[in-house]
Amino acid sequence: MRSRSLVVILGGVLALAGCHPRGGVTSTTRATTDGHDTLFSQVEQREGVADFHCLASTTGHCHYLVFVETCPGGGGQGAACPRTTLQRLDLKSGQTQQVKGLPKGFGQCVDVKAPTEDCAPG
């Protein structure tokens, strides 16, 4: 009983300190003009789930293109790999959307207007 209480207390302390076991990758895209954000976005990726956060945009929207690239034979240097669009998102500034079921290695582009299919990942 004593060890169980210790585990619960320790878990609570770690949670308050901001420690959690969730691993993943966070990508941040930030563009500025004259010191003002024109685009500020974060995407948190983990195990097939991604949280898209539109933090700021001069147009009031962050447009995302979520895709997967399939390289025949593993690809090569300079080789173009065909892309398949998985989803397009249009989020208002301050809005967050979670997308589940994404394949490992998916890519994403974000812009103040809808990205084209050949966009550079951000």
Side-chain angles (χ1 to χ4, degrees):
M1 179 74 171
R2 188 177 197 64
S3 64
R4 185 183 304 171
S5 297
L6 182 60
V7 168
V8 169
I9 291 169
L10 184 59
V13 169
L14 290 174
L16 287 174
C19 299
H20 47 81
R22 183 173 88 176
V25 175
T26 299
S27 61
T28 302
T29 302
R30 191 170 203 164
T32 59
T33 301
D34 298 327
H36 298 285
D37 287 330
T38 56
L39 177 68
F40 186 22
S41 166
Q42 284 188 329
V43 179
E44 299 173 15
Q45 304 175 26
R46 67 198 174 283
E47 300 178 20
V49 177
D51 295 315
F52 295 84
H53 305 276
C54 179
L55 301 170
S57 170
T58 54
T59 64
H61 292 262
C62 298
H63 297 270
Y64 298 88
L65 174 69
V66 184
F67 62 87
V68 65
E69 290 182 334
T70 308
C71 298
Q77 287 189 345
C81 301
R83 282 187 181 173
T84 302
T85 298
L86 301 174
Q87 197 161 2
R88 287 184 174 273
L89 306 172
D90 176 5
L91 303 182
K92 293 179 182 177
S93 291
Q95 190 176 10
T96 297
Q97 183 172 337
Q98 185 174 81
V99 177
K100 296 180 180 179
L102 294 169
K104 190 173 187 170
F106 75 91
Q108 56 89 18
C109 296
V110 60
D111 204 339
V112 295
K113 59 184 187 329
T116 60
E117 298 293 327
D118 62 346
C119 63

